[in-house]
Amino acid sequence: MSLSSDLDAFDRAILAILQKDNATPQRTIGEKVNLSAPAVQRRIKRMEEQGVIRANVALVDPAKVGHPITIFVEVEVESERAELIDAAKRGFAQVPEVQQCYYVTGEADFILIITVATMADYEALTRRLFFANNNVKRFRTFVAMDRVKVGLEVPLA
Amino acid sequence: MSLSSDLDAFDRAILAILQKDNATPQRTIGEKVNLSAPAVQRRIKRMEEQGVIRANVALVDPAKVGHPITIFVEVEVESERAELIDAAKRGFAQVPEVQQCYYVTGEADFILIITVATMADYEALTRRLFFANNNVKRFRTFVAMDRVKVGLEVPLA
DNA sequence: GTTTGAATTGCAAGTTTGTTTCGTTTGGAG
DNA sequence: CTCCAAACGAAACAAACTTGCAATTCAAAC
């Protein structure tokens, strides 16, 4: 499971910084958390090995690269047989336009976040992903008018 | 608007790499896209200034830092007066547990993605954010059973 | 109270990476 | 054809990362 990742106050302080800007020099991090640069570096390495840090990435503004439209989709399936659910998960995850995909409880089964260039592209996607899929009973679309807050930061109180 | 960000094939190739791993050395990027390290560096810097690259961050596994629960909330408001909508946006964005917040069209007005340690924490949050807010008419909760695909990567075909 | 051992630290040396300089190339516009 | 601006690459340089090692801490066992 969470497999021996007991983080102390130093680790959390380091993570808090890296979640906002992972280009911060280790020396600077060290000054802020009262640790030497090597100590910081060893902790970062350990957290990467443990999977606490999943990845180091650049966040790109979708609008600036020709994907101005963000869409939410609630998907309801016909059958919840494990095999079919797994197939659906794999199918959704494969699609690059599907930025996020969650399997959820409640009145829907999946929630997708999709990024596209045009509504025509979205319409084409719905054909491929939903209409052509026998196990999709229904889906509801929400178009984002404002990306009020977007990130994957986890609070570290 | 998108303000003079015409990206060529080099820029896109660089972005594709940085979106997956921004710790990739510039020399390595240069080899992959057939450019020298300084050229890569200049392009990255320019894209950061243009806002194409919004941030450089570490992605943290929520479960490993004590936030194993991810929740979606569809929020419907009473009034869509601009002033009240703006207030709601600011209110939601301020909360650390609200990882993402979108203002959307359709049967809901806001969609939130929330990360918490326990359902009790979520319940406490609902009190603060929804029940204590006169402008919230109704909200629907979806608990994530599986984070099938999580990221903010934008396809760059 | 002392000893032991494991874990973590800081310092300093060594290596890799990022950055700047500068001369050259390229692609139009006059 | 020439000129100019923009972008490039090679090399020198600066900064950051990484590693080895001795010193420190702390808890458990003696």
Side-chain angles (χ1 to χ4, degrees), chain A residues 20-37:
Chain A
K20 296 206 177 292
D21 180 9
N22 73 349
T24 311
Q26 296 172 352
R27 178 178 54 83
T28 307
I29 298 174
E31 288 166 9
K32 292 189 181 175
V33 306
N34 286 322
L35 227 49
S36 69

Side-chain angles (χ1 to χ4, degrees), chain A residues 54 59 74 107 140 145, chain B residues 54 59 74 103 107 140:
Chain A
R54 260 202 317 128
L59 300 188
E74 286 179 20
E107 303 176 36
R140 293 205 301 167
M145 293 185 289
Chain B
R54 263 201 314 128
L59 300 189
E74 285 179 19
Y103 180 48
E107 303 174 37
R140 293 204 300 167

